[in-house]
């Protein structure tokens, strides 16, 4: 059996190596190996073929393979309209690099963007802005440091998050008449114009 191994820079800056499971040739002229997931940052790795004793096969020459980052979902399926933080989970993120998470509502069309920073090669920390439209379902897209889209590789519904209305503060007089009439102001985010609430 033969194996493939990929060698490149790991998340800690040290050399990282991954290896496929041993595989037998598919025919007298073809051999296929499947590399396991790469846990380091996106970038170019060198792919080698080894025999069953671990000796490098010198022919064919090594192959360069570029791993691109992917994302698989976020840490929360529901977020408050006042903003906050979520983590984008994936692989191949470059530590310290800046990413952008876009939140887009379809009806009516509205979009906000969140700044994200790679905390590790598998997690981004994103600061969500205040959602200034009515609470709704939003579709997420991720853009990398170069401005190119980062591929989504998760479940069908993993790129959708629900923005919910969120109460932020109440203000009113400290003393009010027992006959009523005290005005109370409630500050919130994500309220729809058609919503009605009772104090």
């Amino acid at each position: 059996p033969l194996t493939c191994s990929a060698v490149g820079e790991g998340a800690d800056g040290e050399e990282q190596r991954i290896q496929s499971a041993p595989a037998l040739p598919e025919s007298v002229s073809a051999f296929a190996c499947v590399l396991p997931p790469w846990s380091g940052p996106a970038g170019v790795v060198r792919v080698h073929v080894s025999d069953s004793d671990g000796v490098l096969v010198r022919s064919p020459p090594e192959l360069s393979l570029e791993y691109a980052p992917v994302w698989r979902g976020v840490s929360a399926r529901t977020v408050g309209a006042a903003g906050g933080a979520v983590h984008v989970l994936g692989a191949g993120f470059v530590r310290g690099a800046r990413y952008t998470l876009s939140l887009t509502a379809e009806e009516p069309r509205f979009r906000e963007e969140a700044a994200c920073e790679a905390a590790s090669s598998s997690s981004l920390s994103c600061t969500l802005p205040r959602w200034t439209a009515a609470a709704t379902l939003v579709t997420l897209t991720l853009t990398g440091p170069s401005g190119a889209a980062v591929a989504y590789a998760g479940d069908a519904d993993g790129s959708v998050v629900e923005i919910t209305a969120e109460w932020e503060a109440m203000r009113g007089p400290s003393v009010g008449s027992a006959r009523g009439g005290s005005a109370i102001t409630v500050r919130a985010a994500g309220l729809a114009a058609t919503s009605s609430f009772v104090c």
Side-chain angles (χ1 to χ4, degrees):
L2 299 171
T3 61
C4 292
S5 57
V7 180
E9 184 177 327
D12 58 2
E14 298 292 321
E15 183 176 271
Q16 177 181 340
R17 177 182 299 269
I18 57 172
Q19 186 171 335
S20 71
L24 295 172
E26 296 173 343
S27 69
V28 295
S29 62
F31 157 70
C33 58
V34 178
L35 292 171
W38 182 254
S39 63
V44 177
V45 298
R46 299 175 317 279
V47 179
H48 306 277
V49 176
S50 302
D51 65 18
S52 58
D53 295 324
V55 177
L56 287 180
V57 176
R58 294 291 174 203
S59 180
E62 70 179 34
L63 168 75
S64 290
L65 171 67
E66 183 171 358
Y67 278 113
V70 295
W71 69 285
R72 295 186 180 95
V74 293
S75 59
R77 298 288 183 147
T78 303
V79 295
V86 296
H87 294 281
V88 174
L89 309 174
F93 301 132
V94 177
R95 187 183 293 256
R98 300 271 179 196
Y99 294 78
T100 302
L101 182 67
S102 297
L103 301 85
T104 305
E106 294 301 322
E107 294 290 328
R109 187 86 171 156
F110 187 77
R111 180 178 166 157
E112 290 283 0
E113 292 187 342
C116 305
E117 187 171 327
S120 70
S121 61
S122 61
S123 177
L124 300 176
S125 179
C126 305
T127 303
L128 300 179
R130 179 183 172 83
W131 185 255
T132 57
T136 187
L137 291 176
V138 296
T139 301
L140 305 176
T141 53
L142 186 65
T143 305
S146 68
V150 175
Y152 177 69
D155 298 334
D157 63 347
S159 65
V160 176
V161 168
E162 181 180 9
I163 303 286
T164 59
E166 190 169 12
W167 308 110
E168 297 176 292
M170 265 196 312
R171 191 179 60 204
S174 58
V175 176
S177 170
R179 294 180 59 195
S182 297
I184 307 296
T185 302
V186 179
R187 182 169 162 77
L191 298 181
T194 58
S195 302
S196 76
F197 300 93
V198 177
C199 290

